[in-house]
Amino acid sequence: MRISQIIDKIDDNQLFVPAFQREFVWKRTQAKDLFSSLLNEYPTGTLLTWETTGPPELKGSRKYSSEMGAIKLILDGQQRITTIYMLLTGKIPPYYNPEEIENDIRGLYVNLQSMELEYYKKITMENNPFWVDLTKIFKGEVRGRDIRKKLEEQGPLHREIEDLIDDHYEVIRSIKEREFPEQTIPIRAKINEAIDIFYRVNSSGINLTEAELALAQICGYWPSARKLLKEKRLKLQEEGFGFSLDFMIYAILAVTHDNGSNMKLIHGSENKDKVVAAWEVLDKYVLDYVVKMLRSHAFVGHIDEINSVFALIPVISFVYKKPNHKLSEPEIKRVIKWFYYSQLRQRYVSQSPQKLDKDLKIVKHKDKPFAELLTLIEQERKLEITPGEFEGRDIRHPLFSLMRWYFKSRKALCLGTGLELHQKMAKKYTLERDHIFPYADLQSSGYPVGNRIKYAYAQELTNRVILTECEYRNRSDSSAKDYLEKVDQNFPSALKLQSIPMDKSLWEMNRFEDFLAARRSILAKELNEFLEGITEVILGEGTVDLMDQIKDGEHGGLEFKSTLRWDAAKGSVNRELEKVVLKSIAAFNNGQGDGGRLIIGVDDEENIVGLEQDYSTLKDGGGKDAFERHIRGLIQKEWDVELSSRIIVSFEEVSGEDVCLIDVSRGVEPLYLNTRNEHGQLEQKFYVRTGNSSQPITLLSEITQYINSRFKNS
């Protein structure tokens, strides 16, 4: 089907999009890439359509009637078709409402000399006639002669430029006559068959999430599902909790099947009665109740404050199962305490559906599930917050969210207005965060962007306060000392309520790092007391399965190595691999966190490869004892210091294979690693844990700064 025909059929109400399709979500970069492919005559994919006399509910205001006969639906390719329609016509297609267009991709310009595509940039395009809005070309509002005329006003126009403009203009116009390859589902197909084909097409690519595909299946047996979920989303959005449609599908899956990963469980039409009934309860009672509980008891004012909304799925499941869908006060306190720790310790930072499976089963079978769920978090990472956890952490870290909730719980005030931070927020999030020591001052005092350690201190969350929006706009760049003294005068309780050190000597620029250290200690103490004081929870004896840890993937406290010394590629021993293991041990020792765990016998793809190859390279017949002796020998030879109390070596069997666990405590003194450079010369390197990898700090000045800060109080 030609692109011009597609446009005409949309305008003539002959080409539709089913209601189960998602909204228009393409970004400008995707629109630009599509038109670049069209201009260069590259492949742009195919269009999957379905001609039918019994369609599902349609997007837009048009309703199907039998007088319309067979109509054609776009099942796959609607993001591309919508992009083309909007850029060729300048309009939103009739099957969408304006609010369903998440990104307006109109206003794409083309350079008729170079054929470069770009969205409007005033400096580049304002006085350059070559840049033209694509839509105006397609609508015939700008022609080649118009461009030539403007160019002639700027000086003589060469014939080859005139020809180039005309040629390029025709190339652009010819896009309308390009064929868009079409695959058609036969008219005899039923709705469930068409959706199944739609599912198969999308599941082979990356276009839709599992939840979106599940929603498409649900719409096959419950046509109004998407509309009802969207209506609820919009209502919650006005309250500041605009959960995605994906999230709502996870909630439906959780309450109907106690599952968080297998979306196929709700695909079949046999689920209709159960899914419809579940949604009625979620819509009328549960979702609103959970939002109110978060606002009133957890001091969460907006969805933007939540690092992972997956933590709300077990809460929703728990509330759903309770009589009258309400909790007692002790139950609310246990839920809130677990919620805080789930965010702080990033329970759902990875492998979220799989963790939901486990957590939802606990919710289903345990009388006090959130004590058990808290136990799982505690066994992955200790619950107590240490001052060192704040070091170098910016506002993206979950500690900042917890700090904000804590401030609101104690009726903390905005430093400039004296207004309480805990306030009802609507669709827009209205709290701001600002530096205490202004970054302009810090930059001129030796904390530039180029020094990653100093810059991290400048951006550390302990150098931030929470403000109302109006104060954030009005605050001047006064020094920290002047600003805090003014606040202390106007609102004497405000500083303490936001955990600001009250020793005024720490407010001087030359005491900046001492200020951070003092506030870290205050926050660690107060946050621990806050969390412990919510309610007493007796932790259970549940264990975190090692395979669950491995599935979570590498992170700041966990690293995998497939072998200790066996090089599979070479088929022989490679002692450089032993150095890699020692590098990880040093990085965990030197890092800002609480140390970490190195697992040997697991590759980067989380496959269990075991230790047999390493065993075969060791004396005394190999085995666990020989393996541990060899590791400890490497450590002793490298550092010649007593580390046995801070490095624990153990073994577990996973999927029938031995793996070695090396648990490294946070070091009290720095460890350097001896390496050889490309010239064979011996040199020392200082490694730290950065994200999910071990990286060296290369500049001597940065190493000194890091060690002075990291180890001075150890």
Side-chain angles (χ1 to χ4, degrees), residues 471-566:
E471 169 60 9
Y472 179 74
R473 289 174 178 169
N474 294 331
R475 192 202 155 173
S476 65
D477 285 332
S478 56
S479 69
K481 184 174 184 292
D482 291 344
Y483 180 62
L484 295 178
E485 284 182 344
K486 182 179 178 182
V487 174
D488 195 31
Q489 266 186 340
N490 295 336
F491 309 106
S493 64
L495 296 181
K496 193 169 184 180
L497 287 171
Q498 290 212 37
S499 306
I500 305 293
M502 296 306 293
D503 180 352
K504 294 187 178 182
S505 68
L506 296 176
W507 300 354
E508 302 283 356
M509 177 58 71
N510 61 359
R511 299 290 305 281
F512 172 62
E513 291 189 27
D514 294 329
F515 173 90
L516 297 185
R519 198 171 186 222
R520 290 173 198 142
S521 296
I522 293 171
L523 282 166
K525 178 177 179 295
E526 292 183 354
L527 290 176
N528 283 323
E529 291 173 351
F530 168 60
L531 292 169
E532 290 166 6
I534 294 171
T535 185
E536 183 180 2
V537 174
I538 300 173
L539 299 182
E541 298 181 355
T543 58
V544 179
D545 186 79
L546 181 60
M547 196 64 204
D548 288 344
Q549 293 184 41
I550 293 169
K551 285 180 179 179
D552 284 347
E554 294 179 308
H555 52 72
L558 183 67
E559 185 166 2
F560 305 144
K561 297 297 176 191
S562 55
T563 65
L564 171 65
R565 63 204 306 257
W566 178 259

Side-chain angles (χ1 to χ4, degrees), residues 97-276:
N97 296 317
E99 60 268 19
E100 293 180 301
I101 305 296
E102 293 191 11
N103 304 295
D104 194 336
I105 50 79
R106 290 173 290 185
L108 182 60
Y109 279 66
V110 63
N111 186 303
L112 282 173
Q113 182 178 26
S114 65
M115 294 295 270
E116 180 183 358
L117 292 169
E118 193 57 76
Y119 281 91
Y120 187 73
K121 295 179 179 177
K122 184 175 181 179
I123 295 175
T124 304
M125 301 178 186
E126 187 173 33
N127 297 312
N128 187 339
F130 284 114
W131 284 103
V132 184
D133 188 331
L134 263 179
T135 304
K136 291 184 177 181
I137 293 177
F138 288 120
K139 293 175 70 176
E141 295 175 2
V142 173
R143 299 183 180 276
R145 62 172 177 267
D146 300 320
I147 310 304
R148 293 196 300 272
K149 184 177 179 180
K150 287 184 178 181
L151 288 169
E152 286 168 352
E153 292 173 359
Q154 296 181 355
L157 187 62
H158 297 294
R159 177 62 182 269
E160 55 268 25
I161 294 296
E162 291 188 54
D163 293 343
L164 188 65
I165 292 171
D166 289 340
D167 291 345
H168 285 170
Y169 184 86
E170 290 305 317
V171 168
I172 295 167
R173 293 281 297 180
S174 69
I175 285 176
K176 297 178 72 171
E177 304 311 312
R178 283 280 304 276
E179 287 286 336
F180 214 105
E182 179 184 10
Q183 294 177 303
T184 304
I185 297 174
I187 195 169
R188 65 178 180 275
K190 298 177 182 178
I191 289 179
N192 62 324
E193 293 173 323
I195 291 177
D196 187 54
I197 295 170
F198 163 75
Y199 173 80
R200 292 183 186 184
V201 168
N202 278 286
S203 63
S204 64
I206 57 172
N207 292 330
L208 298 180
T209 66
E210 288 294 317
E212 286 172 322
L213 294 169
L215 179 54
Q217 295 282 354
I218 291 172
C219 287
Y221 58 77
W222 182 26
S224 59
R226 190 178 188 91
K227 177 185 175 184
L228 294 173
L229 267 62
K230 282 173 61 180
E231 288 175 353
K232 187 64 178 179
R233 181 178 186 271
L234 290 173
K235 288 179 182 177
L236 290 172
Q237 195 170 34
E238 294 302 317
E239 295 289 314
F241 287 85
F243 299 121
S244 67
L245 297 185
D246 275 23
F247 175 84
M248 294 181 183
I249 294 299
Y250 274 103
I252 291 172
L253 177 65
V255 301
T256 55
H257 291 84
D258 299 298
N259 187 275
S261 64
N262 188 3
M263 288 291 170
K264 291 183 179 179
L265 291 173
I266 51 177
H267 282 190
S269 59
E270 69 277 4
N271 286 282
K272 181 178 179 180
D273 291 344
K274 182 188 287 189
V275 167
V276 171

